[in-house]
Amino acid sequence: GPPWMLPSLLTPAEKRLLDALSGWPWIAREHLGALLGVGRTRLSGLLHRLEGLGLVRAHGPGGRLALSEDGLTLLARRDRAAAADARRRWSAEPFDREAPLTWRNVRGRRSRQLLRNLAHTSAVHGFLAALAGQARTEGWDLVQLDPPHRASRYFRHDGALHSVHPDAFGLLRRDGKPWAFFLEWERRAVRPSTMAARLAPYLRYYATPRPTDDHGLRPDVLVVFEDELAAHHFLGVARRELRRAGVDLPLRVSHRALIEREGPLGNGWAAVAGGAARPFRDGPTPRPFGDAAG
DNA sequence: CTCCACTGTGCGTCTCTCTC
DNA sequence: GAGAGAGACGCACAGTGGAG
């Protein structure tokens, strides 16, 4: 059919898949299935149809998924946004179809950047996929999940314009009670000064009334490190910085192995509350995201 | 001395606000 | 609507210091 008929041809599930892909380019099938809450069979069916319509393409040996340029155009038109801009930014098409999939061979600026840092991109996808799965089994409703470009927040503090650029923002709800978070996935083992610098934008943001104004509640700031040692160091830095700034920042810290074992909604987080860092697995800690812990 | 990991700096990119 | 300026991010690059 003609392209202008596409929106009416697509089912709600297919539109949800397109939206997910627009937020998380280069996502692996497994992660996408978990995000959408569909099994392998169902996912294959959806992808087969969308690939047949030319809206989605799988790239590289890993079959990383992304919207095609037609897919980007379709969503841009729906959002009354400039389609050419969207393609320039998000196109996953290679310059050279014969050449292997590398970041240098990708047209879109943002999608190129995401492919270049594929380890980080995949880590965030994996976190969110696990979160979505765990949320379903534990009765949480995943209301909202924003990729970095929608999770950024710009605000004024001391007269200057500042911003936070999280790797993701999410809003969940259970029994009518909401819980929200910003995610920062930290790759590099960073020095104390760098750790403090990463924290500073959030300290400024939470020093303003904006978190509550923006979301109706104060989202937790989740910081995940690749290795445990860096997470422990960060806890110390964060404790000092929070005390120094006198800001009540709902910060939770963890590391990859702990998240993989406990799940994002599990017991693997250390809180920095009242200036006192609580070490990981120091006795039975309350479930951080449940009713008990707040 | 060489090698390697880490660090600081410079640059490019993005999005916001302000101004015209 | 276009352009400038500001703040934040992340890469490339070069310098530094420790280990062998």
Short mmCIF file of all heavy atoms in Angstrom, two decimals, chain A residues 116-117 161-163 187-188 198 204, chain C residues 5-13:
data_model
loop_
_atom_site.label_atom_id
_atom_site.label_comp_id
_atom_site.label_asym_id
_atom_site.label_seq_id
_atom_site.Cartn_x
_atom_site.Cartn_y
_atom_site.Cartn_z
N ARG A 116 28.96 3.40 18.54
CA ARG A 116 30.35 3.50 18.95
C ARG A 116 30.53 3.08 20.41
O ARG A 116 31.52 2.48 20.78
CB ARG A 116 30.78 4.96 18.78
CG ARG A 116 32.23 5.19 18.90
CD ARG A 116 32.50 6.64 18.62
NE ARG A 116 33.91 6.88 18.42
CZ ARG A 116 34.40 8.03 18.01
NH1 ARG A 116 33.60 9.02 17.72
NH2 ARG A 116 35.68 8.18 17.87
N ASN A 117 29.56 3.40 21.22
CA ASN A 117 29.60 3.01 22.63
C ASN A 117 28.64 1.86 22.87
O ASN A 117 27.87 1.87 23.82
CB ASN A 117 29.18 4.19 23.52
CG ASN A 117 30.02 5.39 23.24
OD1 ASN A 117 31.23 5.29 23.11
ND2 ASN A 117 29.37 6.54 23.12
N LEU A 161 21.91 28.42 33.46
CA LEU A 161 21.21 27.28 32.90
C LEU A 161 22.05 26.02 33.10
O LEU A 161 23.22 25.98 32.74
CB LEU A 161 20.96 27.49 31.41
CG LEU A 161 20.21 26.37 30.69
CD1 LEU A 161 18.78 26.30 31.18
CD2 LEU A 161 20.26 26.57 29.19
N HIS A 162 21.44 25.01 33.68
CA HIS A 162 22.13 23.74 33.88
C HIS A 162 21.26 22.63 33.32
O HIS A 162 20.13 22.84 32.91
CB HIS A 162 22.38 23.49 35.38
CG HIS A 162 23.32 24.46 36.01
ND1 HIS A 162 24.68 24.27 36.01
CD2 HIS A 162 23.09 25.62 36.64
CE1 HIS A 162 25.25 25.28 36.62
NE2 HIS A 162 24.31 26.12 37.02
N SER A 163 21.83 21.42 33.31
CA SER A 163 21.06 20.30 32.79
C SER A 163 21.59 18.99 33.36
O SER A 163 22.74 18.90 33.78
CB SER A 163 21.12 20.25 31.27
OG SER A 163 22.46 20.28 30.82
N ARG A 187 30.66 3.70 33.13
CA ARG A 187 31.61 2.71 32.65
C ARG A 187 32.97 2.88 33.28
O ARG A 187 33.58 1.96 33.77
CB ARG A 187 31.79 2.84 31.14
CG ARG A 187 30.76 2.19 30.32
CD ARG A 187 30.84 2.76 28.94
NE ARG A 187 30.59 4.20 28.97
CZ ARG A 187 30.71 4.97 27.93
NH1 ARG A 187 31.13 4.47 26.80
NH2 ARG A 187 30.43 6.25 28.02
N ARG A 188 33.46 4.08 33.21
CA ARG A 188 34.86 4.30 33.53
C ARG A 188 35.07 4.31 35.03
O ARG A 188 34.29 4.85 35.77
CB ARG A 188 35.31 5.63 32.95
CG ARG A 188 35.08 5.69 31.48
CD ARG A 188 35.56 7.00 30.95
NE ARG A 188 35.73 6.91 29.50
CZ ARG A 188 36.28 7.85 28.77
NH1 ARG A 188 36.71 8.93 29.33
NH2 ARG A 188 36.40 7.71 27.48
N ARG A 198 30.38 14.29 38.15
CA ARG A 198 29.21 13.61 37.60
C ARG A 198 27.99 13.81 38.48
O ARG A 198 26.86 13.77 38.02
CB ARG A 198 29.50 12.11 37.46
CG ARG A 198 30.63 11.79 36.55
CD ARG A 198 30.23 11.96 35.10
NE ARG A 198 29.48 10.82 34.62
CZ ARG A 198 28.43 10.92 33.82
NH1 ARG A 198 28.00 12.09 33.46
NH2 ARG A 198 27.81 9.85 33.41
N ARG A 204 22.60 20.02 41.87
CA ARG A 204 21.96 21.30 41.53
C ARG A 204 20.48 21.09 41.21
O ARG A 204 19.63 21.87 41.65
CB ARG A 204 22.69 21.92 40.33
CG ARG A 204 24.04 22.50 40.67
CD ARG A 204 24.56 23.40 39.56
NE ARG A 204 25.08 22.63 38.45
CZ ARG A 204 26.37 22.38 38.26
NH1 ARG A 204 27.27 22.85 39.12
NH2 ARG A 204 26.78 21.68 37.23
P DG C 5 28.07 34.48 20.24
OP1 DG C 5 28.75 35.76 20.50
OP2 DG C 5 28.76 33.39 19.52
"O5'" DG C 5 27.56 33.90 21.63
"C5'" DG C 5 26.62 34.65 22.40
"C4'" DG C 5 26.20 33.83 23.60
"O4'" DG C 5 25.24 32.84 23.19
"C3'" DG C 5 27.36 33.07 24.26
"O3'" DG C 5 27.29 33.27 25.67
"C2'" DG C 5 27.11 31.62 23.88
"C1'" DG C 5 25.60 31.58 23.72
N9 DG C 5 25.09 30.55 22.82
C8 DG C 5 25.56 30.25 21.56
N7 DG C 5 24.90 29.29 20.99
C5 DG C 5 23.94 28.93 21.92
C6 DG C 5 22.92 27.95 21.87
O6 DG C 5 22.67 27.17 20.95
N1 DG C 5 22.17 27.91 23.04
C2 DG C 5 22.36 28.73 24.10
N2 DG C 5 21.55 28.56 25.14
N3 DG C 5 23.31 29.66 24.18
C4 DG C 5 24.05 29.70 23.05
P DA C 6 28.41 32.65 26.62
OP1 DA C 6 28.74 33.68 27.62
OP2 DA C 6 29.47 32.04 25.80
"O5'" DA C 6 27.62 31.47 27.35
"C5'" DA C 6 26.34 31.74 27.93
"C4'" DA C 6 25.78 30.47 28.53
"O4'" DA C 6 25.24 29.65 27.48
"C3'" DA C 6 26.82 29.63 29.27
"O3'" DA C 6 26.26 29.15 30.48
"C2'" DA C 6 27.12 28.49 28.30
"C1'" DA C 6 25.78 28.34 27.57
N9 DA C 6 25.90 27.83 26.21
C8 DA C 6 26.79 28.22 25.24
N7 DA C 6 26.64 27.59 24.10
C5 DA C 6 25.58 26.72 24.33
C6 DA C 6 24.92 25.79 23.51
N6 DA C 6 25.27 25.56 22.25
N1 DA C 6 23.91 25.10 24.05
C2 DA C 6 23.57 25.34 25.32
N3 DA C 6 24.11 26.19 26.19
C4 DA C 6 25.11 26.87 25.62
P DG C 7 27.22 28.60 31.62
OP1 DG C 7 26.78 29.21 32.89
OP2 DG C 7 28.62 28.71 31.17
"O5'" DG C 7 26.84 27.06 31.64
"C5'" DG C 7 25.52 26.68 32.00
"C4'" DG C 7 25.31 25.23 31.65
"O4'" DG C 7 25.37 25.08 30.21
"C3'" DG C 7 26.35 24.28 32.22
"O3'" DG C 7 25.67 23.23 32.88
"C2'" DG C 7 27.14 23.78 31.01
"C1'" DG C 7 26.10 23.91 29.91
N9 DG C 7 26.63 24.09 28.56
C8 DG C 7 27.61 24.96 28.16
N7 DG C 7 27.86 24.90 26.88
C5 DG C 7 26.99 23.93 26.41
C6 DG C 7 26.80 23.42 25.10
O6 DG C 7 27.38 23.74 24.06
N1 DG C 7 25.82 22.44 25.07
C2 DG C 7 25.11 22.01 26.16
N2 DG C 7 24.20 21.06 25.95
N3 DG C 7 25.28 22.48 27.40
C4 DG C 7 26.23 23.43 27.44
P DA C 8 26.48 22.17 33.75
OP1 DA C 8 25.64 21.86 34.91
OP2 DA C 8 27.87 22.64 33.93
"O5'" DA C 8 26.52 20.91 32.80
"C5'" DA C 8 25.31 20.26 32.47
"C4'" DA C 8 25.58 19.18 31.45
"O4'" DA C 8 25.93 19.81 30.21
"C3'" DA C 8 26.73 18.25 31.82
"O3'" DA C 8 26.22 16.93 31.97
"C2'" DA C 8 27.72 18.36 30.68
"C1'" DA C 8 26.89 18.99 29.56
N9 DA C 8 27.68 19.85 28.69
C8 DA C 8 28.49 20.89 29.05
N7 DA C 8 29.08 21.48 28.04
C5 DA C 8 28.63 20.77 26.94
C6 DA C 8 28.89 20.89 25.57
N6 DA C 8 29.70 21.80 25.05
N1 DA C 8 28.28 20.02 24.74
C2 DA C 8 27.47 19.10 25.25
N3 DA C 8 27.15 18.88 26.52
C4 DA C 8 27.77 19.76 27.32
P DC C 9 27.23 15.75 32.37
OP1 DC C 9 26.47 14.81 33.17
OP2 DC C 9 28.49 16.33 32.87
"O5'" DC C 9 27.54 15.09 30.96
"C5'" DC C 9 26.46 14.65 30.15
"C4'" DC C 9 27.02 14.15 28.84
"O4'" DC C 9 27.52 15.27 28.10
"C3'" DC C 9 28.18 13.18 29.02
"O3'" DC C 9 27.86 11.93 28.45
"C2'" DC C 9 29.35 13.83 28.31
"C1'" DC C 9 28.69 14.89 27.44
N1 DC C 9 29.53 16.11 27.28
C2 DC C 9 29.88 16.53 25.99
O2 DC C 9 29.48 15.89 25.03
N3 DC C 9 30.64 17.64 25.86
C4 DC C 9 31.04 18.31 26.94
N4 DC C 9 31.78 19.39 26.75
C5 DC C 9 30.68 17.88 28.25
C6 DC C 9 29.93 16.78 28.38
P DG C 10 28.76 10.65 28.85
OP1 DG C 10 27.86 9.49 28.89
OP2 DG C 10 29.60 10.99 30.01
"O5'" DG C 10 29.71 10.53 27.60
"C5'" DG C 10 29.16 10.48 26.30
"C4'" DG C 10 30.28 10.54 25.29
"O4'" DG C 10 30.74 11.90 25.19
"C3'" DG C 10 31.50 9.70 25.68
"O3'" DG C 10 32.01 9.03 24.54
"C2'" DG C 10 32.49 10.73 26.19
"C1'" DG C 10 32.15 11.92 25.31
N9 DG C 10 32.55 13.19 25.88
C8 DG C 10 32.50 13.57 27.20
N7 DG C 10 32.95 14.79 27.41
C5 DG C 10 33.31 15.23 26.15
C6 DG C 10 33.87 16.46 25.74
O6 DG C 10 34.16 17.44 26.43
N1 DG C 10 34.09 16.50 24.38
C2 DG C 10 33.81 15.48 23.51
N2 DG C 10 34.09 15.69 22.22
N3 DG C 10 33.29 14.31 23.87
C4 DG C 10 33.07 14.26 25.21
P DC C 11 33.08 7.86 24.70
OP1 DC C 11 32.40 6.61 24.40
OP2 DC C 11 33.80 8.02 25.97
"O5'" DC C 11 34.09 8.20 23.53
"C5'" DC C 11 33.58 8.45 22.21
"C4'" DC C 11 34.51 9.37 21.48
"O4'" DC C 11 34.53 10.64 22.15
"C3'" DC C 11 35.95 8.87 21.44
"O3'" DC C 11 36.36 8.63 20.11
"C2'" DC C 11 36.78 9.95 22.08
"C1'" DC C 11 35.84 11.14 22.18
N1 DC C 11 36.00 11.87 23.45
C2 DC C 11 36.53 13.16 23.44
O2 DC C 11 36.87 13.65 22.35
N3 DC C 11 36.69 13.83 24.60
C4 DC C 11 36.31 13.26 25.75
N4 DC C 11 36.47 13.95 26.86
C5 DC C 11 35.75 11.95 25.79
C6 DC C 11 35.61 11.29 24.62
P DA C 12 37.75 7.90 19.84
OP1 DA C 12 37.60 7.20 18.56
OP2 DA C 12 38.17 7.16 21.05
"O5'" DA C 12 38.76 9.12 19.65
"C5'" DA C 12 38.50 10.09 18.65
"C4'" DA C 12 39.62 11.11 18.62
"O4'" DA C 12 39.56 11.92 19.82
"C3'" DA C 12 41.02 10.49 18.60
"O3'" DA C 12 41.85 11.25 17.72
"C2'" DA C 12 41.48 10.58 20.05
"C1'" DA C 12 40.76 11.82 20.55
N9 DA C 12 40.40 11.77 21.97
C8 DA C 12 39.81 10.72 22.62
N7 DA C 12 39.57 10.95 23.89
C5 DA C 12 40.02 12.25 24.08
C6 DA C 12 40.04 13.09 25.20
N6 DA C 12 39.59 12.73 26.40
N1 DA C 12 40.56 14.32 25.04
C2 DA C 12 41.02 14.68 23.83
N3 DA C 12 41.05 13.98 22.70
C4 DA C 12 40.53 12.76 22.89
P DC C 13 43.32 10.71 17.40
OP1 DC C 13 43.60 11.13 16.02
OP2 DC C 13 43.43 9.30 17.80
"O5'" DC C 13 44.20 11.58 18.40
"C5'" DC C 13 44.03 12.99 18.43
"C4'" DC C 13 44.81 13.55 19.61
"O4'" DC C 13 44.07 13.32 20.81
"C3'" DC C 13 46.18 12.90 19.80
"O3'" DC C 13 47.20 13.86 19.59
"C2'" DC C 13 46.17 12.38 21.24
"C1'" DC C 13 45.00 13.14 21.86
N1 DC C 13 44.30 12.40 22.95
C2 DC C 13 44.12 13.02 24.20
O2 DC C 13 44.57 14.16 24.36
N3 DC C 13 43.48 12.35 25.18
C4 DC C 13 43.03 11.11 24.95
N4 DC C 13 42.40 10.48 25.95
C5 DC C 13 43.19 10.47 23.69
C6 DC C 13 43.83 11.15 22.71
#
